[in-house]
């Protein structure tokens, strides 16, 4: 019985070391970065800076596509309905990434199943200012 277990372990290890030769290096084609706001805002600027840096690192194009409207629902639906291949990214904030999908689940179906958070990008301090 112990030999069978050892044999199965070795067999699994042997198959685990085989590389997937049909898989291309990521990214092998342009990547789309969806921004749920109009051009020129903070989120758009972050997306463009990130896209340029990723282009320099990977040698592949990262195209920023602004999809403003409906409190982010237009952009959210764009990413939810895209192919799950990693070639469509979305940069948003707490509103578009958390609040809108919770408040309007019927308008963004399967958000929690089709979208995964990758990284926190920036931390922008905000201030409340009042006149004296």
């Amino acid at each position: 019985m112990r030999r069978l277990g050892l044999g199965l372990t070795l067999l699994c290890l042997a198959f685990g070391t085989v590389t997937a030769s049909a898989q291309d290096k990521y990214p092998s084609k342009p990547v789309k970065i969806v921004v749920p706001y109009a051009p020129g805002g903070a989120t758009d600027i972050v997306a463009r800076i990130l896209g340029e840096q990723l282009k320099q690192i990977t040698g592949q194009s990262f195209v920023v596509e602004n999809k403003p409207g409906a409190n982010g629902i237009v952009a959210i639906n764009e990413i939810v309905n895209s192919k799950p291949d990693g070639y469509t990214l979305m940069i948003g904030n707490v509103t578009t990434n958390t609040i809108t999908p919770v408040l309007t689940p019927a308008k963004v179906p399967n958000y929690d199943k089709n979208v995964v958070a990758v990284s926190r990008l920036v931390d922008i301090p905000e201030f409340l200012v009042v006149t004296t």
Side-chain angles (χ1 to χ4, degrees):
M1 190 65 163
R2 190 172 177 174
R3 280 185 166 172
L4 179 62
L6 180 61
L8 286 174
T9 302
L10 291 174
L11 185 64
C12 288
L13 286 173
F15 281 116
T17 60
V18 176
T19 60
S21 59
Q23 189 174 4
D24 292 335
K25 180 183 169 216
Y26 178 85
S28 61
K29 62 182 183 178
V31 178
K32 179 171 39 172
I33 301 175
V34 178
V35 177
Y37 302 104
T43 307
D44 179 63
I45 293 168
V46 169
R48 293 178 190 282
I49 291 170
L50 177 69
E52 185 59 35
Q53 293 298 311
L54 290 172
K55 179 182 178 182
Q56 290 177 10
I57 293 168
T58 65
Q60 190 57 255
S61 295
F62 284 76
V63 180
V64 175
E65 189 173 306
N66 297 84
K67 296 274 187 173
N71 205 27
I73 293 173
V74 175
I76 293 168
N77 281 325
E78 172 81 18
I79 192 159
V80 167
N81 295 320
S82 65
K83 288 175 59 174
D85 58 2
Y87 285 92
T88 304
L89 311 174
M90 185 178 91
I91 293 182
N93 56 27
V94 172
T95 303
T96 55
N97 295 0
T98 307
I99 296 172
T100 298
V102 170
L103 292 179
T104 58
K107 294 184 179 181
V108 286
N110 300 319
Y111 178 81
D112 56 341
K113 295 176 186 168
N114 294 347
V115 177
V116 64
V118 176
S119 176
R120 183 176 176 179
L121 293 176
V122 295
D123 188 8
I124 301 172
E126 298 180 37
F127 300 92
L128 176 61
V129 181
V130 65
T131 59
T132 57

